[in-house]
Amino acid sequence: MGRAALLNTISSRIRQSLELQDILDTTVAEVRKFLGTDRVKIYKFDSDGHGQVVAEAIRTKTLPVLKGLHFPAGDIPPQARELFCKARIRTIVDIAAQEILLSEPEHALSTSDADLSVEDVCETSLENLLVRPVDPCHIEYLSLMGVQSSVVVPLLSNRKLWGLLISHHRQPKAFDSQTLQILQLIADQVEIAIAQANMLHDARDRAATEATLNQLTSLLHSPEPQPSILKKALGTIIKAVDGVGGELQIARVRVYLPVHRCDLQFSSNPIYR
């Protein structure tokens, strides 16, 4: 698949679908075919720094399936996260040569031997990036998965590191600057999809909240007996907060629904149990 066709496929899916998972699945499948690598995955960070593989395309019977697996925050050190987030650094790892190449989207690459800190990278124009030895732990990490070369492109949301677009291959593989530019354009498209998904999620939450409030209002103005109204209202609240049971106490009226795992309680008094 050519560059234009690849970008058109992903852009079209973003326009046609409102579901982020569908877009991510299409992205990894198309990027894997374009690169000709054994695996392309999207790794999403949780709020606590841990990560999960949320989308994956893999060549049959080559590398182990990782989709759905969770990984500890320590797998990607803080310095690497800052480089990904602040400088949009992309990394290309060659296990055979035991080298890692840092690439920044708008500037040419350099093989000058320097050891840049996060502050150095973020404060300079990034005209000179570097090829340097790969950390032995990273080599071992990739080797245990059967990976000999990888490319990592950051995905941002609201200027924060949302996740990573990653390619893995069982053999050493070179990536030219044009390929990296295409991967960056794809990452930009995925970031648009993430932003759209966030807005859709917020809109759905607001709509669900309004629907619950309207339902409660209708119940409270219902001519039914009060115990019946309160029981239905409690059921509506439990469903809205995804609970499994609860208890509502108002003056001397007690309404109870069976609780299996946890309690959800509301009271007109300032004491909550």
Side-chain angles (χ1 to χ4, degrees):
M1 178 181 289
R3 168 182 175 175
L6 174 64
L7 293 175
N8 182 66
T9 297
I10 295 174
S11 298
S12 296
R13 182 53 61 94
I14 291 174
R15 291 192 297 270
Q16 295 169 3
S17 177
L18 295 176
E19 300 302 327
L20 180 60
Q21 187 61 53
D22 184 38
I23 295 170
L24 298 182
D25 289 339
T26 298
T27 298
V28 294
E30 298 299 334
V31 171
R32 196 204 67 75
K33 287 191 291 185
F34 170 72
L35 295 177
T37 53
D38 294 313
R39 175 199 289 129
V40 170
K41 65 179 182 178
I42 291 180
Y43 184 91
K44 179 184 177 182
F45 291 104
D46 297 332
S47 58
D48 59 2
H50 292 69
Q52 180 184 13
V53 177
V54 295
E56 180 181 47
I58 191 167
R59 197 192 303 271
T60 306
K61 297 180 180 179
T62 54
L63 296 173
V65 175
L66 301 178
K67 185 176 180 180
L69 297 183
H70 294 260
F71 296 87
D75 280 4
I76 301 176
Q79 184 185 41
R81 297 186 190 216
E82 284 202 60
L83 286 172
F84 281 134
C85 186
K86 293 183 178 179
R88 298 303 303 268
I89 291 293
R90 304 171 298 206
T91 65
I92 304 95
V93 176
D94 185 341
I95 297 298
Q98 296 196 6
E99 290 180 340
I100 180 170
L101 171 66
L102 303 183
S103 162
E104 194 272 339
E106 285 95 26
H107 296 84
L109 305 179
S110 171
T111 57
S112 59
D113 185 12
D115 185 13
L116 300 182
S117 66
V118 174
E119 292 76 14
D120 293 332
V121 171
C122 294
E123 291 176 2
T124 64
S125 62
L126 294 174
E127 293 177 351
N128 294 314
L129 297 177
L130 61 140
V131 175
R132 62 184 182 186
V134 188
D135 186 278
C137 292
H138 193 42
I139 292 178
E140 181 180 7
Y141 180 80
L142 292 177
S143 298
L144 287 173
M145 291 193 294
V147 175
Q148 286 296 307
S149 62
S150 73
V151 178
V152 181
V153 182
L155 300 171
L156 305 186
S157 176
N158 295 324
R159 298 183 180 181
K160 296 181 180 180
L161 187 60
W162 182 92
L164 303 170
L165 174 64
I166 303 171
S167 170
H168 285 161
H169 199 54
R170 292 179 300 163
Q171 304 295 329
K173 186 175 180 66
F175 296 90
D176 58 27
S177 59
Q178 184 179 32
T179 299
L180 293 178
Q181 290 171 3
I182 294 172
L183 288 178
Q184 186 60 55
L185 290 173
I186 293 169
D188 294 342
Q189 291 295 309
V190 173
E191 290 177 354
I192 292 173
I194 293 170
Q196 291 178 347
N198 289 339
M199 290 189 291
L200 178 61
H201 182 269
D202 291 343
R204 285 174 173 173
D205 279 351
R206 288 195 298 271
T209 299
E210 290 176 4
T212 299
L213 291 175
N214 290 336
Q215 189 173 359
L216 289 172
T217 300
S218 297
L219 283 171
L220 294 175
H221 289 84
S222 171
E224 296 182 39
Q226 188 181 52
S228 176
I229 293 175
L230 294 178
K231 185 174 182 179
K232 290 181 180 180
L234 179 59
T236 299
I237 295 171
I238 291 171
K239 183 178 179 180
V241 299
D242 199 24
V244 295
E247 184 176 288
L248 173 61
Q249 297 181 31
I250 301 179
R252 296 182 179 180
V253 178
R254 172 174 292 189
V255 179
Y256 176 77
L257 293 180
V259 179
H260 302 291
R261 294 192 299 272
C262 65
D263 287 329
L264 176 66
Q265 301 181 50
F266 301 84
S267 175
S268 60
N269 298 317
I271 300 176
Y272 291 81
R273 297 200 304 272

